Amino acid sequence: MFSSLHIDILEKTPSTIKLYLRDVPLHLVNSLRRTILSEVPTMAVDYVAITENSSVFYDEYISHRLGLIPLKSNEALNKYKPPEECAEAGDRGIFSQDCFVTLRLEASGPEKGVLTVYSRDLVSSDPDVVPIYGEIPILKLIKDQSIRLEAYARLGRGKEHIKWSPVSTAAHKYIPVITLNSEKCKGAECSRCVNACPKNIFEADNNSVRVKEDKILECTFCRLCENVCPTQAVKVSWRENEYIFYLELTGALNARNILIEAINILSRKLDAFIDELRRNGVAV
């Protein structure tokens, strides 16, 4: 399915990745994007058993916060059963070790002042599944207030709840192509496109206007340059089957695992679809 796909990494940080995709149709790029958002599983708290809570925070408020704390999930993909099996087990109150990770929390307020309980205070039964960020506040306690609970995390998918999505942003855009008609362009005499472009893609030089090639990928297709040009010398278009693919990660999975898992899931779905067509007598 992706045999002819070419990928270049334009930018990579611990929390983001920007790819240059070539020779891939739009429908496959969008399918990959949607699969990453809704199908790639990660660990997140799904059930919370609170045995003591004398704080001013409601049980539901605390549970909701626990569910939104991103958990490391790179090792969990191969260690725990798939979401479909574990969701049913949790609904029956069965929190087996092959499905769930237990995170315990116990804290009491100080004699003076205020104690802020953070995500780092959660004690996990699996060292491979712990909060990614230790500074996420959960609640505050003062004297004579305490909290004791057990939270159960399992693999889930973004289509169940966004807390299981491995990314906070998944987007793609066309590769821009900006052409200047030298016969129509008045050069430096008319620098309206230079001043109008919010990304500073044009520059006036030696009585001419040119495109900065190192900035062209920043074009957002706003077409302000086209709109302000009095001679219609500027034309903004795009390249077919070439895209910038951008992911902002929650940290639950690294970019490599997200992309590989998404491609594997999408391939399995397409194979199952083809098999179903064949069973129904459709020639494929």
Side-chain angles (χ1 to χ4, degrees):
M1 179 180 64
F2 293 97
S3 58
S4 62
L5 174 64
H6 295 82
I7 302 177
D8 292 318
I9 299 177
L10 297 177
E11 178 185 306
K12 185 178 180 182
T13 71
S15 59
T16 64
I17 188 168
K18 185 184 291 185
L19 305 174
Y20 191 145
L21 307 183
R22 295 182 177 87
D23 301 323
V24 56
L26 177 60
H27 63 272
L28 283 184
V29 176
N30 194 46
S31 295
L32 180 62
R33 182 186 68 84
R34 292 172 64 88
T35 300
I36 290 173
L37 282 168
S38 62
E39 295 285 350
V40 175
T42 66
M43 296 292 288
V45 169
D46 197 29
Y47 300 91
V48 180
I50 299 177
T51 54
E52 182 180 352
N53 178 22
S54 54
S55 72
V56 298
F57 290 77
Y58 293 116
D59 291 355
E60 294 82 0
Y61 186 85
I62 298 172
S63 299
H64 183 259
R65 281 200 164 187
L66 292 172
L68 295 179
I69 295 175
L71 303 176
K72 292 182 179 179
S73 305
N74 287 299
E75 302 300 326
L77 291 177
N78 299 318
K79 291 174 66 174
Y80 297 93
K81 289 183 177 180
E84 293 74 20
E85 297 183 33
C86 297
E88 296 178 359
D91 290 339
R92 297 193 300 269
I94 303 173
F95 300 106
S96 57
Q97 293 183 356
D98 54 357
C99 275
F100 292 90
V101 174
T102 303
L103 297 105
R104 294 179 173 86
L105 179 63
E106 185 172 350
S108 298
E111 288 295 321
K112 295 181 179 180
V114 179
L115 171 68
T116 301
V117 181
Y118 291 97
S119 53
R120 63 170 177 261
D121 298 317
L122 290 165
V123 180
S124 175
S125 62
D126 184 347
D128 291 327
V129 182
V130 295
I132 299 162
Y133 310 105
E135 301 300 319
I136 300 175
I138 299 173
L139 77 163
K140 292 186 177 183
L141 299 172
I142 59 174
K143 183 180 178 181
D144 297 329
Q145 293 182 350
S146 59
I147 183 73
R148 184 183 297 112
L149 61 82
E150 286 189 351
Y152 303 97
R154 67 169 176 88
L155 287 173
R157 306 183 193 277
K159 64 183 180 182
E160 300 177 61
H161 192 286
I162 196 61
K163 67 184 179 182
W164 279 299
S165 182
V167 297
S168 55
T169 301
H172 63 269
K173 76 168 187 174
Y174 291 99
I175 300 297
V177 176
I178 303 175
T179 56
L180 286 170
N181 189 325
S182 58
E183 296 180 358
K184 294 182 179 180
C185 183
K186 295 180 181 180
E189 297 178 11
C190 175
S191 58
R192 296 184 185 180
C193 57
V194 178
N195 298 326
C197 179
K199 295 297 182 178
N200 194 28
I201 294 173
F202 299 91
E203 66 178 355
D205 184 29
N206 297 327
N207 295 324
S208 65
V209 175
R210 69 182 185 89
V211 177
K212 300 177 185 177
E213 294 300 327
D214 60 332
K215 300 276 289 183
I216 194 169
L217 291 181
E218 298 182 23
C219 175
T220 59
F221 296 92
C222 67
R223 286 190 162 86
L224 286 174
C225 54
E226 285 188 356
N227 296 334
V228 301
C229 182
T231 61
Q232 298 181 340
V234 184
K235 178 66 176 177
V236 180
S237 59
W238 59 86
R239 298 179 188 175
E240 290 293 334
N241 297 334
E242 294 189 22
Y243 306 93
I244 293 175
F245 194 76
Y246 176 78
L247 298 177
E248 184 175 310
L249 318 180
T250 64
L253 296 174
N254 59 43
R256 181 180 182 274
N257 283 345
I258 290 173
L259 292 167
I260 291 176
E261 189 69 18
I263 290 173
N264 289 337
I265 291 171
L266 191 54
S267 296
R268 289 195 298 267
K269 284 180 172 290
L270 291 174
D271 289 341
F273 181 68
I274 291 173
D275 291 342
E276 188 64 26
L277 289 176
R278 288 172 177 165
R279 279 195 294 269
N280 286 274
V282 180
V284 179

